[in-house]
Amino acid sequence: MSLEKIAISIGDINGIGIELALKNHHIVKKLANPIYCIDKKLLKKASKKLNIAIPDDFKIYGKYKKCKIKVAVETKSSGRFSYDSFKTAIDLAVKDEVSAIVTLPINKKAWELAGIDYVGHTDMLRDVFKKDAIMMLGCSQMYVALFTEHIPLKDVAKYIKTKRLKKFLSDFFISIDKPNQPIAVLGLNPHAGDNGVLGDEEKYIIKAIEKVNKKYGSKFELVVPDIAFTPHIRSRYKYFCAMYHDQGLAPLKALYFDQSINVSLNLPIKRTSVDHGTAYDLAYKKNNNISNLSYINAIKEAVI
Amino acid sequence: MSLEKIAISIGDINGIGIELALKNHHIVKKLANPIYCIDKKLLKKASKKLNIAIPDDFKIYGKYKKCKIKVAVETKSSGRFSYDSFKTAIDLAVKDEVSAIVTLPINKKAWELAGIDYVGHTDMLRDVFKKDAIMMLGCSQMYVALFTEHIPLKDVAKYIKTKRLKKFLSDFFISIDKPNQPIAVLGLNPHAGDNGVLGDEEKYIIKAIEKVNKKYGSKFELVVPDIAFTPHIRSRYKYFCAMYHDQGLAPLKALYFDQSINVSLNLPIKRTSVDHGTAYDLAYKKNNNISNLSYINAIKEAVI
């Protein structure tokens, strides 16, 4: 059986992306057949700077504008490069030349400097495919899907509407292959509103859950947010739907920081990603002890 | 050295409060000199129902209205009883007959049925002492203080104002004896607003931190909410100030559910509490395996 072909976008070149790719190629190639979206010139420069040799079977792909490495600095050209690398990976997936893409971390500020209008990977995928991509983070112990993502906290409550939630839960359920197990849906308010005393948006959540469960036979259940991740409750679920960014990600990262990955659901292509940033503080430093757990888990999830 | 006298309010009599008190008296009496706020009649009934003998040195105090035990049911009379028990404990502390009070869990609905206007213990303490009591939960590994508590999520952002935060941080710092170590203050928005791109309330938080640090020499630091509780970051702090209920409590309970306690700060009296509810599902059941960790930790904290 031949290994799955995957495209790996290299992320921000002034961060830890290239180092992760070079250092872990010997592991990655046992799991997949990787194509790294970077050009020879830049790869050579990075290899020299990092003092890590380029493996012989390190397959690269794509055309890129000339770009200098400026360690730990957000630059316009690094923003452009990581965008082009990601775009190249998407194109490979769209043309079916790879079965999935794995993304290394970009720098959002660098994208802004390069005049790229997207907040990040998921946002861009949503636009490219005109689909409501769902951002899910986690690891084999638990996954958290986000109903709202990168919006101010004060705007979250406005998004909690039955119709919108119904679509989200339906899309999510289908994307994860309709498991026959309970799935936690977190309330919005403290104590899930305590019967409306501490906020009443739970009524929309409950209505959406009822409708989707009826339609699909799914087992979505409303759970009180602050106890959702206690050992007893979390043992009941593999999947959690959080209403907002920190509600899901703070507990997830408290429990499983190093090993978590980011998966984009509800798209025509498969995309996974590391769950950490560019780590400028560690980039191009000797003995930086960068954990590869999230990267390797992202590769594993991509080839499942 | 004689043990500290403490008052223990018995909580909702239809929940697990009395059982915790009876079963753990032999441990508690080694840590403190407890006075249980309950009357003989009710205690006898509960002892019979639970099939647990009343220890000889189980000191009780207070006058209460007649009340029937209705296992796992919210009743008007149980609401009144737990309120009177708490009030009795407060009075003992005010009269300096005890050095601290420890509270067992009440049922908020029962308080409502009894026509009691408070949302809970902390709320009542705030009113009785006309002081901005601060609710802090945690255990020896970490403590989380809540800037806002039992309010709808949609209202949280409105509370984030420099003046109000300044008072909170100052009161908090003084209450915990001005430690010479960094204290985490969580941002409100995802990525702490990402320089205003995802919400801008962090500007008020930063201003408040600067002012309080300047005035008191404290070391409050703004921390990004979703990474605040990762192993690396949380090893830096003992105290965390969360902007809202679930931001602090979901990660805390994910990490340290059983052993956490609730401490009221910034009051003329000392009050600690268990960090769990009435557990109606376990109340008066055989072999219910109720954990006493939180209760014993609350006693320990009360006598420090």
Side-chain angles (χ1 to χ4, degrees):
Chain A
M1 206 179 78
S2 67
L3 293 168
E4 295 276 353
K5 265 193 182 173
I6 59 169
I8 297 177
S9 69
I10 211 68
D12 192 83
I13 59 159
N14 299 326
I16 58 168
I18 305 179
E19 180 173 351
L20 271 172
L22 284 172
K23 268 192 183 165
N24 294 289
H25 178 66
H26 67 289
I27 305 170
V28 171
K29 73 179 185 186
K30 288 180 194 157
L31 301 164
N33 190 349
I35 301 170
Y36 299 91
C37 299
I38 185 172
D39 65 358
K40 190 120 200 177
K41 224 166 177 173
L42 190 70
L43 183 64
K44 273 190 175 168
K45 279 189 223 166
S47 144
K48 204 173 156 190
K49 223 178 185 65
L50 289 161
N51 200 20
I52 306 173
I54 303 167
D56 289 338
D57 55 356
F58 200 87
K59 207 181 299 171
I60 59 174
Y61 183 79
K63 284 207 156 100
Y64 306 92
K65 284 199 180 143
K66 238 170 106 172
C67 181
K68 272 189 185 162
I69 295 168
K70 291 200 171 174
V71 175
V73 184
E74 299 144 343
T75 65
K76 186 180 162 177
S77 62
S78 77
R80 168 57 53 181
F81 197 99
S82 60
Y83 171 81
D84 287 339
S85 177
F86 184 40
K87 187 75 183 61
T88 303
I90 294 174
D91 290 344
L92 284 171
V94 168
K95 285 188 277 174
D96 239 355
E97 296 190 18
V98 296
S99 64
I101 65 181
V102 175
T103 56
L104 284 161
I106 58 152
N107 181 298
K108 287 176 207 270
K109 186 78 196 164
W111 272 29
E112 199 185 308
L113 290 173
I116 296 155
D117 261 352
Y118 304 116
V119 188
H121 288 122
T122 313
D123 192 32
M124 179 166 158
L125 290 167
R126 219 167 256 146
D127 187 55
V128 168
F129 294 107
K130 307 292 176 219
K131 287 272 288 174
D132 289 332
I134 293 173
M135 191 168 162
M136 181 174 84
L137 294 102
C139 55
S140 57
Q141 290 90 336
M142 60 180 266
Y143 284 98
V144 178
L146 302 182
F147 174 62
T148 66
E149 298 160 14
H150 294 105
I151 61 168
L153 187 84
K154 71 171 185 294
D155 295 334
V156 169
K158 292 176 219 160
Y159 280 79
I160 311 291
K161 297 290 173 219
T162 305
K163 202 176 155 188
R164 204 189 285 254
L165 273 160
K166 211 184 114 193
K167 179 161 187 340
F168 172 81
L169 295 177
S170 305
D171 285 347
F172 177 69
F173 186 62
I174 293 163
S175 298
I176 56 168
D177 292 331
K178 306 183 178 178
N180 186 28
Q181 68 194 78
I183 301 170
V185 181
L186 275 61
L188 177 75
N189 295 297
H191 310 181
D194 245 351
N195 295 318
V197 183
L198 308 174
D200 65 357
E201 290 84 358
E202 278 72 15
K203 68 185 176 201
Y204 303 119
I205 306 178
I206 292 168
K207 205 176 260 179
I209 288 177
E210 283 170 356
K211 288 190 175 195
V212 176
N213 283 354
K214 197 172 168 191
K215 186 168 178 188
Y216 292 101
S218 51
K219 293 177 184 165
F220 287 107
E221 299 176 350
L222 183 72
V223 179
V224 171
D226 71 331
I227 61 160
F229 301 99
T230 57
H232 179 63
I233 307 285
R234 74 174 187 261
S235 71
R236 186 173 160 79
Y237 304 103
K238 180 175 177 185
Y239 296 104
F240 297 77
C241 297
M243 293 300 108
Y244 56 95
H245 189 274
D246 294 339
Q247 184 187 51
L249 300 193
L252 174 71
K253 293 184 180 186
L255 295 167
Y256 304 111
F257 181 57
D258 266 353
Q259 51 194 308
S260 282
I261 62 165
N262 182 337
V263 185
S264 302
L265 301 176
N266 201 34
L267 286 177
I269 67 161
K270 193 165 189 179
R271 177 247 170 175
T272 69
S273 172
V274 296
D275 174 31
H276 55 70
T278 50
Y280 274 176
D281 53 326
L282 303 174
Y284 296 90
K285 283 195 182 146
K286 275 187 187 162
N287 307 318
N288 54 12
N289 264 326
I290 299 172
S291 165
N292 67 357
L293 270 178
S294 177
Y295 179 50
I296 299 302
N297 282 345
I299 303 278
K300 284 181 184 165
E301 179 74 25
V303 298
I304 283 171
Chain B
M1 207 181 74
S2 67
L3 293 168
E4 294 276 354
K5 263 192 183 173
I6 60 168
I8 297 176
S9 68
I10 211 68
D12 191 83
I13 58 158
N14 300 326
I16 57 167
I18 305 179
E19 180 172 352
L20 271 172
L22 284 172
K23 267 192 182 163
N24 294 288
H25 178 67
H26 65 290
I27 305 171
V28 171
K29 74 179 186 185
K30 288 179 193 157
L31 301 164
N33 190 347
I35 300 170
Y36 299 91
C37 298
I38 186 172
D39 64 358
K40 189 120 197 176
K41 221 164 178 175
L42 190 69
L43 183 63
K44 272 189 174 170
K45 280 189 223 167
S47 145
K48 203 173 157 191
K49 221 176 186 66
L50 289 161
N51 200 20
I52 306 172
I54 303 166
D56 289 338
D57 54 357
F58 199 88
K59 207 183 297 172
I60 59 174
Y61 184 80
K63 284 210 157 98
Y64 306 91
K65 284 200 179 142
K66 238 170 108 173
C67 183
K68 270 190 187 163
I69 295 170
K70 290 201 173 174
V71 176
V73 184
E74 299 143 344
T75 65
K76 185 178 165 180
S77 63
S78 77
R80 168 57 54 183
F81 197 99
S82 60
Y83 171 83
D84 287 340
S85 176
F86 184 40
K87 188 75 184 60
T88 304
I90 295 175
D91 291 344
L92 284 170
V94 169
K95 286 187 279 174
D96 240 355
E97 295 189 18
V98 296
S99 64
I101 66 181
V102 175
T103 57
L104 284 161
I106 59 152
N107 181 298
K108 287 178 207 271
K109 187 77 196 167
W111 272 30
E112 201 186 305
L113 291 173
I116 297 156
D117 262 349
Y118 305 115
V119 187
H121 288 121
T122 313
D123 190 34
M124 177 166 161
L125 289 167
R126 219 167 255 144
D127 185 58
V128 168
F129 295 107
K130 308 291 176 217
K131 288 272 288 174
D132 289 331
I134 294 174
M135 190 167 162
M136 181 174 84
L137 294 102
C139 55
S140 57
Q141 290 90 335
M142 60 179 266
Y143 284 98
V144 178
L146 302 181
F147 174 62
T148 66
E149 298 160 14
H150 294 104
I151 62 168
L153 188 83
K154 72 171 184 297
D155 295 336
V156 169
K158 294 176 217 161
Y159 280 79
I160 312 291
K161 296 290 172 219
T162 306
K163 201 176 156 190
R164 204 190 286 251
L165 273 160
K166 211 183 116 195
K167 179 162 188 338
F168 172 81
L169 295 177
S170 305
D171 285 348
F172 177 69
F173 186 63
I174 293 163
S175 298
I176 56 167
D177 293 331
K178 305 183 179 178
N180 186 28
Q181 68 195 76
I183 301 170
V185 181
L186 274 60
L188 178 74
N189 295 297
H191 309 181
D194 245 351
N195 294 317
V197 183
L198 308 175
D200 65 356
E201 290 84 357
E202 279 72 15
K203 68 185 177 200
Y204 304 118
I205 305 178
I206 292 167
K207 205 175 260 179
I209 288 176
E210 283 171 357
K211 289 190 175 194
V212 176
N213 283 353
K214 197 172 168 190
K215 185 165 178 189
Y216 292 101
S218 52
K219 292 177 183 166
F220 287 106
E221 299 176 350
L222 183 71
V223 179
V224 171
D226 71 331
I227 60 161
F229 302 99
T230 57
H232 180 63
I233 307 285
R234 74 172 187 262
S235 69
R236 186 174 159 79
Y237 305 102
K238 179 175 177 185
Y239 296 104
F240 297 77
C241 297
M243 293 300 107
Y244 56 95
H245 189 274
D246 293 339
Q247 184 187 51
L249 300 193
L252 173 71
K253 293 184 180 185
L255 295 167
Y256 304 111
F257 181 58
D258 265 354
Q259 50 195 308
S260 282
I261 62 165
N262 181 337
V263 185
S264 301
L265 302 176
N266 201 33
L267 286 177
I269 68 159
K270 193 166 191 179
R271 177 248 171 175
T272 70
S273 172
V274 295
D275 175 30
H276 55 70
T278 50
Y280 274 177
D281 53 327
L282 303 175
Y284 296 90
K285 282 195 184 148
K286 274 187 188 164
N287 307 317
N288 55 12
N289 264 327
I290 299 171
S291 165
N292 68 356
L293 270 177
S294 177
Y295 179 51
I296 300 301
N297 283 345
I299 303 278
K300 284 181 183 166
E301 179 74 25
V303 297
I304 284 174

